[in-house]
Amino acid sequence: MLTSSDSLKSRKELDAELGGAARAWLDEALAEAAHDAARAPASGTPHPEASPYASPSWELRFAAAGRHCGQENADSVRSLLLVEARAPLSSVTRLYEQGTAAERRAVLLTLHRLDLGATALPLIEDALRANDTRLVAAAVGPYAADHLDPHAWRHAVLKCLFTEVPVTAVAQLEGRARGDAELARMLSDFAAERTAAGRPVPEDLRTVLTLTAPADEGGHPAGPSAAPAAPAPTEES
């Protein structure tokens, strides 16, 4: 199952679902994250007394979230920890690079909730090079929509089509695709390649191609460009 940032649960929702032991563990974990955030300088760098080789205790909790709160709640718990800790780029990068696929997904889903500017883009770019559809879906969320340049964003959309990640995972798809002639060209080329190879054109491609049409004078989408039709069946097919 693909997770989006919209599906992350709030603290209130988690408290209603977790048992007593899990709630107590979460309370302690969030308290440790808040304590670390309070000790950190405003620049977001580690506390001067902290060893550069030691991870804050809340980062260890990050890895253990699924074990204590259930795998179905792990993304939400990890996201809350990142936000509570006001995680700096160093922590976010370490958790992503050293984490499991599930831990990496939680990092990607939370980037837009952290004060990182565009500095975490390398993590998005890394996830978009992967073939793990869970990471690709998490990578095209709000953070990518806000910070990827047009060229990289177009390729992220194509990555979703290549890997069959639903384009509903792409944040701000309609706004960024509207009137994008270059994206329309790339989509048409991709559709033509699929058609020439006798392969079906994904319905999601047609959806995005429709969105690339510029708005008319009334602000409504103009008529969509047509994707190449599927080849007609032959006697051999």
Side-chain angles (χ1 to χ4, degrees), residues 66-127:
R67 186 165 66 253
H68 289 276
C69 297
Q71 295 301 328
E72 69 278 11
N73 296 314
D75 282 341
S76 300
V77 170
R78 288 171 177 145
S79 182
L80 286 175
L81 283 170
L82 288 167
V83 172
E84 194 69 30
R86 300 201 296 273
L89 182 63
S90 58
S91 289
V92 168
T93 301
R94 179 167 53 247
L95 291 170
Y96 180 87
E97 292 180 344
Q98 298 179 4
T100 63
E103 291 162 22
R104 290 183 173 200
R105 182 179 67 243
V107 169
L108 296 169
L109 291 172
T110 313
L111 290 178
H112 66 293
R113 300 183 177 186
L114 304 173
D115 187 19
L116 297 173
T119 61
L121 272 177
L123 306 186
I124 296 293
E125 292 163 353
D126 179 82

Side-chain angles (χ1 to χ4, degrees), residues 35-56 58-59 85-92 94:
H35 178 69
D36 192 69
R39 295 173 69 240
S43 63
T45 56
H47 191 276
E49 297 176 0
S51 166
Y53 305 104
S55 299
W58 70 265
E59 290 189 21
R86 300 201 296 273
L89 182 63
S90 58
S91 289
V92 168
R94 179 167 53 247

